[in-house]
Amino acid sequence: MQFEWDEKKRQDTKRERGIDFIDVTKIWDDPMRQERIDQRQDHGEVRIQTIGKVHFGILFVVYTERVYADGEEVIRIISARLANKRDREEYNKMTFHVRKIS
């Protein structure tokens, strides 16, 4: 699995939230990871919200999937933060993917 991100956004997130996108990629190793389509607004691409556990906690991540001309499939991380109380409860109950957002 290939990952990419905007380097400025990565540095901003490290500085502001203490989260490195390199660590964020580890949530894809979590067998309890859940996701749902982010339908809050049209970004010109499908954005997906996912939640999963890494060594320092549960993360809430927004990403998109891209396929380049050469056929390479890449997950582009857009944002990441520590999961809030509601997110953590949904993660633990395995209901994060069920809640509709708009």
Side-chain angles (χ1 to χ4, degrees):
M1 191 172 317
Q2 297 288 332
F3 295 92
E4 69 178 22
W5 47 76
D6 177 272
E7 188 59 28
K8 182 182 181 322
K9 182 69 172 179
R10 174 184 173 220
Q11 295 301 326
D12 289 348
T13 303
K14 280 174 62 174
R15 186 181 66 258
E16 295 167 8
R17 301 179 179 173
I19 298 171
D20 190 336
F21 286 176
I22 292 171
D23 294 326
V24 169
T25 65
K26 303 299 183 214
I27 72 168
W28 273 264
D29 296 334
D30 179 2
M32 287 183 58
R33 184 177 67 86
Q34 301 162 61
E35 58 185 42
R36 63 185 174 216
I37 302 296
D38 184 345
Q39 299 176 335
R40 293 174 297 166
Q41 59 185 339
D42 182 7
H43 294 282
E45 64 188 1
V46 175
R47 291 193 173 183
I48 302 161
Q49 296 179 344
T50 188
I51 190 168
K53 192 177 286 189
V54 294
H55 65 280
F56 59 87
I58 298 172
L59 297 179
F60 178 99
V61 177
V62 177
Y63 74 96
T64 192
E65 297 172 334
R66 294 193 174 167
V67 178
Y68 291 102
D70 64 0
E72 180 182 24
E73 296 179 17
V74 176
I75 292 173
R76 183 171 183 84
I77 297 171
I78 298 166
S79 67
R81 63 169 170 77
L82 287 172
N84 63 31
K85 181 179 178 183
R86 182 177 186 178
D87 298 331
R88 290 190 309 272
E89 288 172 353
E90 291 175 345
Y91 172 84
N92 289 320
K93 293 178 182 176
M94 295 295 292
T95 60
F96 177 84
H97 65 286
V98 175
R99 183 167 54 97
K100 301 289 185 219
I101 56 169
S102 55

